[in-house]
Amino acid sequence: MAASVDGYIATADGGLDWLEPYDGSDFGYDRLMAEVEVVVVGRTTFDLIAGFPAWPYPGKRVVVLTHRPLLSPPAGVECHAGDVAALTERLRRQCSADIFIDGGAQTVRAFLDADLIDHLDLFTIPILLGQGIPRFLPSRRRTSLRLADSETMAQGVVRSTYLRP
């Protein structure tokens, strides 16, 4: 999950144009996708990436958390309208590789609150947006993490890898 130094994953209107200067840099995305079998996204994230010039998950199974039907989704895309714990249990039975949660903040919060995320890669982009959509939505649940690795990458991006103890 990429966020500004002040903790925003998008501008207040959902914009990601501030990430454009980092397009083309290798932050390990291709390596991650090689290890992932299923990608889970929220509806807002799906609507955003569906408008990209190229579908970012060719050949991957994608589960969209939504109660609304999808119009002409790409191949391999399915909907899930129920509990994230039930979805995770079903996917773990069906999959032999990793499940990647690709946001947004509401989706990540749902999985964190259900204690279903065991690995977080947080990318801090060297920009202050001042306002926007926060990396993590508020919660009453406290989640302890252990820093497993931290790395300064191209263009001053910092990747911090956290694991659940």
Side-chain angles (χ1 to χ4, degrees):
M1 178 184 279
S4 62
V5 170
D6 51 352
Y8 298 109
I9 60 173
T11 59
D13 63 356
L16 298 175
D17 58 319
W18 58 279
L19 289 170
E20 289 174 7
Y22 304 92
D23 287 351
S25 294
D26 181 15
F27 297 115
Y29 183 79
D30 291 338
R31 186 182 73 237
L32 170 67
M33 284 296 107
E35 298 171 1
V36 167
E37 187 171 342
V38 177
V39 179
V40 178
V41 299
R43 178 60 185 258
T44 302
T45 299
F46 173 79
D47 288 344
L48 177 72
I49 64 177
F52 286 179
W55 177 241
Y57 306 116
K60 297 290 180 193
R61 180 178 175 190
V62 176
V63 179
V64 181
L65 301 180
T66 184
H67 293 281
R68 296 175 285 138
L70 303 176
L71 303 175
S72 305
V77 174
E78 61 190 78
C79 294
H80 177 80
D83 180 70
V84 295
L87 171 64
T88 302
E89 183 179 321
R90 177 171 56 91
L91 291 176
R92 285 182 175 159
R93 283 194 315 267
Q94 297 171 346
C95 300
S96 59
D98 288 339
I99 301 165
F100 175 50
I101 311 302
D102 189 20
Q106 187 174 0
T107 297
V108 171
R109 174 50 59 204
F111 279 89
L112 283 169
D113 285 350
D115 202 26
L116 294 170
I117 293 181
D118 54 2
H119 179 138
L120 281 170
D121 271 330
L122 304 180
F123 294 83
T124 303
I125 310 301
I127 186 172
L128 295 167
L129 293 178
Q131 62 181 355
I133 298 170
R135 177 181 277 178
F136 297 109
L137 296 178
S139 174
R140 294 176 186 234
R141 179 182 174 83
R142 182 179 297 178
T143 303
S144 295
L145 301 170
R146 178 180 62 81
L147 179 65
D149 189 35
S150 183
E151 172 186 9
T152 302
M153 304 181 87
Q155 296 175 270
V157 172
V158 175
R159 186 192 82 211
S160 302
T161 300
Y162 293 92
L163 304 175
R164 282 191 327 189

